[in-house]
Each structure stands twice: as structure tokens, then as C-alpha cells.
Amino acid sequence: MKVLVVRLSALGDVAVTANAVYMLKKGLPDAEIHWLVEEEAAPLVLGFKFVDKVIPVSRRRYAKGMIRNPLKVLRMPLDAIGLLLKLRKGYDAVLDFQGNFRSGLLTFLSGAKKRIGFSAGRVYEGSHIFYTIKVRLPKQLPRVERMMKLLDEIGVKSEPFMSTVPFEFTAEDRVVTERFLYEQRGFNKKLVVVHPGTSRFADFKRWPVKNYARLCCQLACDPSLLVVVTWGKDEWFSAVNIVKEGGGAVIAPRFENPRQLAYLLSRASLFIGGDTGPLHIAALFETPSVALFGPKDPQVYKPWNRKCVVLRGDVKCS
């Protein structure tokens, strides 16, 4: 059996979806599982040992490239044909975990007779029109359990479970972090990773920078801890300001891909951060975590991690 999984972005959502795809592989151990994902998150999916093939989609690279060189638009039809050929591989079923117009369209273009997604009201931009099987969901269902409901339609019983996800790092992934820990003389210390940022779109979920700075200052007073502040796009200056006030906290190196960040998180004794990608990547390894929530409902969005404590600030816009 050949199955295509569609979860294009974002990094945290890809990590959350991994739990369901791992259960899919456990339920259908002989199935060949392919994953369609945007280039930015593709290195993370390459680490999942239960995925047989990763198909990257390059939308964001084209968006940036066309600003610099408008002639690149001429290549888009050829690359679209190339992607279509990759999709038309005789899949027995396609599962769309994303649920927006783009993912629904790609699901349809696969040509699979069994195209599984969520029903109207649980998807965006009318993507349900592309599915042959539409799964109805109750309200306020945790995200991981929501993903697993799609598995019922492919003959895999969706049972809630918590487990580390099989993951494979390259030697280069390990070297980047181990060299950094060596430079910080952190081998004999417990590693605490603090991630203050979120995507720009979700900046309403951020705990204030000054609070993170105070927290890092208190943690760094303990000589047995190495406190590392991680950062992503547009978060460098926030991380620098936290380290300046953090009384011994250090800033993480620039990671070339999210798999290198994942290795750092797998090595950590504790992760602290908001509802964002690194929190859910840490959950893949059951790294002990403190999740800081504001407007979002943690019963729906908290990570699938037995070793996670949720702290929520009650705000009016919840």
C-alpha cells in the first residue's frame, strides 16, 4: 500500500502531525509512506525514520526569488509539471492533515481515488471540496487526537498514545550542537533551552521579552545549568536583549536546518517557551517542558508530551 501524507507547514504543526503519521506506520507497517511538505520543514521530516520518502514543495523560495528576479516566474510551469509527476505515483490513499485550499488542491492533483480530509467547518478556504472522504470532528478536540481521526478511514484504529517518535540525526546535526556545548563548557551542566519567539503571524502568543530576561537571570544563577536562548527568523534582537540581561545565559548558534535545533532540544534537560515550533519539536523526544500559553486554549494546543507543564495567563481575548 502506498500512502501520501500532506502537511506542508508550519514547523510546529509538522511536529504535531508526526505523532499521527508514526501511528499510521505502526498500524500499516508494510505501507510505503510519502510526505509532501514545504522546503523549510523538509529537513525535519527527513529525520522521521517511519517516512519512506519526502517530497519538498518550494513555494516560499519562489516567492522570494521572484522579487529579486521576476524572470523566475517562467520556470514555474515546468516545476509545477515536475511536482505533478511526483504526485501521480499511484497512491492508494492521500491524507490531508493541513486543511487549506493549497493542500486540498495538491491532494486532488495526486489522482488518488481515496482522498481523506476534514469536513466543512474544520478546514480553511473550502478545501473539503477536494476530498472523497470527509471526517467530522467534535469541537475542542486536542490537535493530536484530531489528526488521528483521519487514520480511522484508512483502517488504522486511532488510539491516544504518548511515545517518543523514532528520529535519526546526521553526524553534522550532532557536531553543530556538540561543538557549541564544548565552546560554552557545558558538557557537565544541565542544558536548559529557552525559546522566547513565535512566528510574526502569531506574535500575540509571546510572553514579554523582559519576563524571559528575568527568568533567564534567575536560572543562570545556578552554576549547574547552562541556559541557552534559541531564536528563529526576526527573533535575533529579542534573543540578544534577553542574553544581555540574562546574567549568564548564552545565545544559540544559527542552525542551518530545524533538525539541528531538534538535536539541541533532544539533549536538553528542560525546555521553556510558548506555543510555537520548538515546543512541539521538544515533545517528539519527551523533553521536560514548561509551556507558556496566553490566548490559545492549552487543552487543544498543548504538546503531546507527558513531561510538559502548562502555565496559562488569562487574557480577555482568549
Side-chain angles (χ1 to χ4, degrees), residues 137-182:
L137 296 174
K139 293 182 178 180
Q140 300 302 104
L141 192 68
R143 280 197 302 173
V144 174
E145 293 184 33
R146 167 182 170 150
M147 303 293 181
M148 291 183 180
K149 290 298 182 184
L150 295 186
L151 304 186
D152 292 336
E153 304 297 334
I154 201 173
V156 176
K157 189 176 181 181
S158 57
E159 298 177 353
F161 82 110
M162 292 187 182
S163 174
T164 54
V165 169
F167 201 95
E168 188 171 23
F169 297 101
T170 66
E172 185 179 353
D173 298 333
R174 300 173 187 274
V175 165
V176 170
T177 292
E178 297 298 345
R179 182 190 295 125
F180 168 72
L181 295 176
Y182 173 79

Side-chain angles (χ1 to χ4, degrees), residues 2 5 20 31 54 63 76 101 111 114 165 174 214 232 249 266 290 309:
K2 187 181 289 187
V5 169
V54 179
M76 290 184 67
F101 182 84
K114 183 178 285 189
V165 169
R174 300 173 187 274
R214 290 176 59 194
S266 73
V290 178
V309 174

Side-chain angles (χ1 to χ4, degrees), residues 94 96 114-123 126-137 149-150 153:
V94 181
D96 183 4
K114 183 178 285 189
R115 303 187 299 274
I116 306 169
F118 301 112
S119 62
R122 296 292 180 267
V123 292
S127 67
H128 62 283
I129 66 174
F130 297 110
Y131 311 139
T132 59
I133 299 175
K134 304 174 181 65
V135 178
R136 295 184 179 275
L137 296 174
K149 290 298 182 184
L150 295 186
E153 304 297 334

Side-chain angles (χ1 to χ4, degrees), residues 169-245:
F169 297 101
T170 66
E172 185 179 353
D173 298 333
R174 300 173 187 274
V175 165
V176 170
T177 292
E178 297 298 345
R179 182 190 295 125
F180 168 72
L181 295 176
Y182 173 79
E183 292 170 350
Q184 301 300 328
R185 300 180 181 179
F187 283 128
N188 297 321
K189 297 181 179 182
K190 292 182 178 179
L191 176 61
V192 178
V193 177
V194 178
H195 189 85
T198 64
S199 66
R200 186 182 299 175
F201 173 77
D203 59 359
F204 60 88
K205 297 191 292 185
R206 296 178 188 174
W207 203 40
V209 168
K210 63 179 181 180
N211 292 0
Y212 275 111
R214 290 176 59 194
L215 171 65
C216 289
C217 191
Q218 292 181 26
L219 289 170
C221 288
D222 187 337
S224 69
L225 302 180
L226 174 64
V227 182
V228 177
V229 179
T230 52
W231 51 281
K233 291 181 179 178
D234 306 317
E235 298 168 5
W236 167 256
F237 291 108
S238 295
V240 168
N241 289 333
I242 290 170
V243 169
K244 283 181 179 178
E245 305 295 330

Side-chain angles (χ1 to χ4, degrees), residues 247-295:
V250 297
I251 195 164
R254 181 182 182 277
F255 294 115
E256 295 298 326
N257 64 65
R259 201 172 51 245
Q260 295 176 359
L261 171 63
Y263 182 69
L264 178 74
L265 295 170
S266 73
R267 291 273 276 105
S269 297
L270 177 65
F271 172 84
I272 302 171
D275 175 24
T276 188
L279 174 69
H280 299 287
I281 294 173
L284 297 176
F285 311 102
E286 289 202 317
T287 298
S289 302
V290 178
L292 307 177
F293 274 77

Side-chain angles (χ1 to χ4, degrees), residues 39-77:
E39 283 184 335
E40 188 176 42
L44 183 68
V45 181
L46 284 169
F48 298 145
K49 297 174 68 175
F50 46 91
V51 176
D52 298 291
K53 184 177 180 179
V54 179
I55 305 174
V57 184
S58 56
R59 181 193 65 164
R60 293 188 179 183
R61 176 163 57 87
Y62 270 115
K64 293 178 181 178
M66 282 189 292
I67 294 174
R68 299 171 186 168
N69 183 5
L71 292 178
K72 282 193 174 183
V73 73
L74 299 176
R75 289 185 52 188
M76 290 184 67

